[in-house]
Amino acid sequence: MKKIIKIIMIIFTLIYPLFMTCLAGSGLIYNKSGYGDKVANIGFFLIISGLMMTVGAFLCIFTKKIINTISFICSISGLIMCLIMLYLLCNHADNAGWSDNYTMLPISNMYKSRILPVIFPAFTAIIISLINIRNIK
């Protein structure tokens, strides 16, 4: 059962923390000239947070205590950084009045729907690493 959960976690990690978060961050950096330095910095930290959560998820697969400790630190700090950057990005987007050209919905809804699912694989990695730390002697 634990292996199945790890496989599901890795798949979701590749989709959300690695792909969605890093892609959103790189888009913000790529369009720096239109968004400004503040938003580009948010994009940079989104990429860092996505990579940290990905590293944390992959490290919790192993059974050494030090590796699981690093996994826990990477996963929790990456998740916290990602959620803070998401809050800052959505706050900036709402204050600037960014909206979807077709539906006229706030663009912050799109950011939330694409980035918030990082919570599932990050929490799974945190729980697995804590279980591994506790069970390893």
Side-chain angles (χ1 to χ4, degrees), residues 41-124:
N41 289 337
I42 291 172
F44 173 76
F45 286 112
L46 276 174
I47 293 171
I48 297 298
S49 69
L51 294 175
M52 288 175 69
M53 288 184 285
T54 302
V55 167
F58 278 98
L59 289 179
C60 80
I61 294 172
F62 302 105
T63 57
K64 293 200 179 234
K65 193 171 193 169
I66 188 72
I67 292 175
N68 279 283
T69 304
I70 295 169
S71 168
F72 174 78
I73 292 168
C74 285
S75 295
I76 201 155
S77 58
L79 178 62
I80 290 169
M81 184 188 307
C82 182
L83 294 177
I84 290 170
M85 292 303 117
L86 178 61
Y87 171 78
L88 293 175
L89 179 61
C90 290
N91 190 34
H92 179 81
D94 288 340
N95 288 338
W98 294 354
S99 62
D100 187 301
N101 289 341
Y102 302 108
T103 62
M104 296 307 292
L105 291 172
I107 205 73
S108 60
N109 290 349
M110 179 199 68
Y111 286 125
K112 290 175 191 173
S113 67
R114 291 184 182 179
I115 296 176
L116 269 180
V118 302
I119 294 171
F120 171 73
F123 262 20
T124 306

